[in-house]
Amino acid sequence: MQLWQRMFKKESLTAYLKSDEHFAKTLTAKDLIGLGIGAVIGTGIFILPGTVAATTAGPGVVFSFIIAAIVSGLVAMAYSETASAMPVAGSAYSYGNVIFGEVVGWVLGWALILEYALGVAAVSTGWSAYFANLIAPVFKLPTALSGAYNPAQGTYVNLVAVIIVLLIGLMLRGGMKESKRIQNAMVLLKVAIIIIFIVVGFFFIKSSNLMPVIPARMHGAFGVQGVLAGTSMVFFAFLGFDALSASAAEVKNPKRDMPIGIIGTLIIAAILYGLVAFVLTGMVHYTKLNVADPAAFALQQVGQNWAALIITIGALIGMFTMMTTMLYASSRLIYAVGRDGLLPGNLGKLNQKGEPNRALGIATIVVAFFGGMVPLDKLVDLVNMGTLLAFMVVSLGILPLRKRADVKQDGYKMPGYPVLPILSAVFTFFLITQLHVETLIAAAIWFVLGLILYLTYGIKHSRMN
């Protein structure tokens, strides 16, 4: 078999289902929505609406969120159909392997490994900063233990970031049956804090702050163009739902529950983001919201000085649930790649409880290292690159998936075939072109390294041999 043909050899869905049948089936639609909301709604809900309103869209930021949610809904429908038809671990990595061939799956897996690792590490450093502010009146961490390795600034390790990642890893190691209870409780508390902000803020809305809804175009922002530009900025707030598809092998009734979990997550997130944006721009004129913490600032402006504490607690909970979902998804992804023999170390093994604890351990150690030691400022955009690439391929994958006789398709189906899958892929490709040039170059280097690893190790040790 020629190298090119071998690289595009497709894995059998039956083989994946057989490999993953030993997973503990513990997740319901409610648990999936808990995981999804945990990933999609973080600190961004208290920051993003304000900064986008102030710099780009004005009160029209509400429309930016609505448009972004509709476009994200296209991708969510593509994921729902794929996860329903192929309820296996590994998310887009496994889908790429079955639909397009091993090398496509590998590239997606390689991109998503970086996405999850950088994403959780970046959030862990944010959690550390908020936690330090919360305890500052009582205790101040030594400078050496409060930042990534940078001797010039006197920092050597971000100790709090390392500890929170290790604690989440230990929680997940106890199994999803136990850890999902903590996750669901934290998500409910986070949503309660968001609702408190919306209800309290609603009584301080001034209609004059919302007029005009779409300010006149000026200085390269606002107007209808500003609303559309705001859409591309807030779209990234919805990216986390892709992590849900990593859990398909652990869902009790994936054909029913995966679409409910994915689409339900998106609907709830869109409503909460839209309401926060509306209340925020109604409380304070949008021109004043370009600050580090717009939600706390707005509450303070209307005399609600307890704002800082409740927003800090909400931010800490939001980041905790984000890290939980993303670290969970990364362990399932690493398991799936190891299951296929493309990574060394028997990472595709499940323990007696049906949990991939070896993969979870590796994911936790890598993320803790990144969060504690590596300055991430320049790398965080790579998170968006990996997700958008997966979105594009999964959307396109609906076209050949419908023609596959070996994939039983008696679950959810994306409407508007083939137009909507193509539109979904085109829009995500457009967003990829809007990323910074430095991000695209860094992604290209990462993909080249991945292909070298695949051609020198993975293809030789693949179980498809």
Side-chain angles (χ1 to χ4, degrees):
M1 184 184 291
Q2 292 181 347
L3 176 62
W4 189 255
Q5 290 176 310
R6 171 62 190 82
M7 289 169 65
F8 283 91
K9 186 177 180 182
K10 297 170 184 174
E11 181 58 275
S12 159
L13 175 60
T14 304
Y16 275 166
L17 291 171
K18 186 172 179 59
S19 297
D20 294 350
E21 66 183 1
H22 301 295
F23 265 109
K25 314 285 186 187
T26 61
L27 300 177
T28 64
K30 179 186 72 175
D31 300 322
L32 290 172
I33 290 175
L35 283 169
I37 294 297
V40 174
I41 297 182
T43 54
I45 194 164
F46 295 120
I47 299 170
L48 197 60
T51 53
V52 175
T55 62
T56 311
V61 68
V62 174
F63 300 120
S64 297
F65 275 106
I66 292 170
I67 297 168
I70 291 170
V71 176
S72 300
L74 296 178
V75 183
M77 288 189 287
Y79 264 90
S80 296
E81 174 169 343
T82 312
S84 174
M86 295 189 285
V88 295
S91 184
Y93 160 76
S94 296
Y95 307 153
N97 251 338
V98 174
I99 297 173
F100 293 108
E102 186 174 72
V103 70
V104 175
W106 167 260
V107 168
L108 290 176
W110 189 243
L112 290 173
I113 285 172
L114 183 67
E115 176 210 330
Y116 291 141
L118 290 181
V120 180
V123 175
S124 73
T125 61
W127 199 95
S128 173
Y130 270 86
F131 184 74
N133 288 337
L134 184 66
I135 65 170
V138 181
F139 177 75
K140 192 175 189 305
L141 272 174
T143 302
L145 303 178
S146 60
Y149 184 76
N150 189 344
Q153 293 184 0
T155 57
Y156 292 89
V157 62
N158 192 327
L159 183 63
V160 174
V162 172
I163 289 172
I164 190 61
V165 171
L166 294 177
L167 286 175
I168 291 172
L170 283 173
M171 181 186 80
L172 289 171
R173 195 172 180 84
M176 275 309 293
K177 189 173 182 179
E178 292 76 17
S179 58
K180 72 180 183 183
R181 294 173 185 158
I182 299 174
Q183 173 78 349
N184 289 345
M186 295 288 247
V187 166
L188 287 174
L189 187 55
K190 173 172 65 176
V191 171
I193 289 174
I194 294 168
I195 291 173
I196 289 171
F197 170 81
I198 292 168
V199 171
V200 171
F202 185 81
F203 290 99
F204 295 95
I205 290 176
K206 293 180 180 177
S207 58
S208 58
N209 289 333
L210 295 169
M211 297 297 175
V213 175
I214 301 179
R217 186 163 174 77
M218 55 189 289
H219 308 305
F222 307 114
V224 174
Q225 295 94 328
V227 171
L228 295 176
T231 298
S232 64
M233 295 168 70
V234 304
F235 181 83
F236 296 108
F238 295 104
L239 297 190
F241 73 80
D242 74 307
L244 276 185
S245 60
S247 65
E250 298 164 79
V251 177
K252 292 179 179 179
N253 184 0
K255 291 188 183 299
R256 170 187 172 273
D257 293 344
M258 289 304 300
I260 293 174
I262 293 172
I263 297 173
T265 289
L266 202 60
I267 292 171
I268 294 170
I271 291 170
L272 291 177
Y273 270 114
L275 286 174
V276 168
F278 173 73
V279 169
L280 197 55
T281 52
M283 291 170 68
V284 177
H285 199 266
Y286 69 92
T287 54
K288 299 177 182 178
L289 290 174
N290 191 20
V291 294
D293 203 342
F297 172 78
L299 286 170
Q300 287 165 349
Q301 290 297 297
V302 296
Q304 305 301 303
N305 293 320
W306 47 269
L309 178 60
I310 191 170
I311 296 300
T312 298
I313 293 172
L316 285 169
I317 295 170
M319 287 185 279
F320 181 90
T321 61
M322 281 183 77
M323 288 187 284
T324 301
T325 300
M326 300 298 274
L327 189 60
Y328 161 79
S330 68
S331 69
R332 272 53 182 175
L333 174 63
I334 291 172
Y335 153 82
V337 182
R339 168 197 65 194
D340 295 345
L342 303 184
L343 287 177
N346 288 323
L347 294 173
K349 300 287 185 185
L350 300 175
N351 65 9
Q352 292 180 338
K353 289 184 178 180
E355 302 279 349
N357 276 356
R358 187 170 297 191
L360 175 62
I362 293 295
T364 303
I365 291 168
V366 169
V367 169
F369 172 78
F370 271 108
M373 302 294 291
V374 181
L376 297 168
D377 300 348
K378 305 293 184 185
L379 298 176
V380 174
D381 266 0
L382 285 170
V383 174
N384 296 334
M385 176 66 193
T387 309
L388 289 172
L389 184 66
F391 279 11
M392 186 176 73
V393 174
V394 170
S395 298
L396 286 175
I398 296 296
L399 305 178
L401 179 64
R402 291 280 180 99
K403 300 173 183 176
R404 290 284 291 270
D406 60 323
V407 179
K408 192 175 182 182
Q409 298 178 52
D410 55 354
Y412 174 85
K413 286 193 176 182
M414 184 177 186
Y417 175 90
V419 176
L420 290 188
I422 293 172
L423 278 178
S424 178
V426 168
F427 187 81
T428 48
F429 176 74
F430 168 75
L431 287 175
I432 289 174
T433 67
Q434 301 304 298
L435 295 173
H436 295 119
V437 174
E438 297 87 351
T439 302
L440 298 175
I441 293 171
I445 294 170
W446 179 252
F447 290 143
V448 169
L449 291 174
L451 285 172
I452 292 171
L453 178 60
Y454 172 71
L455 292 171
T456 56
Y457 179 88
I459 200 168
K460 294 177 184 177
H461 295 83
S462 169
R463 76 174 186 180
M464 279 205 284
N465 291 334

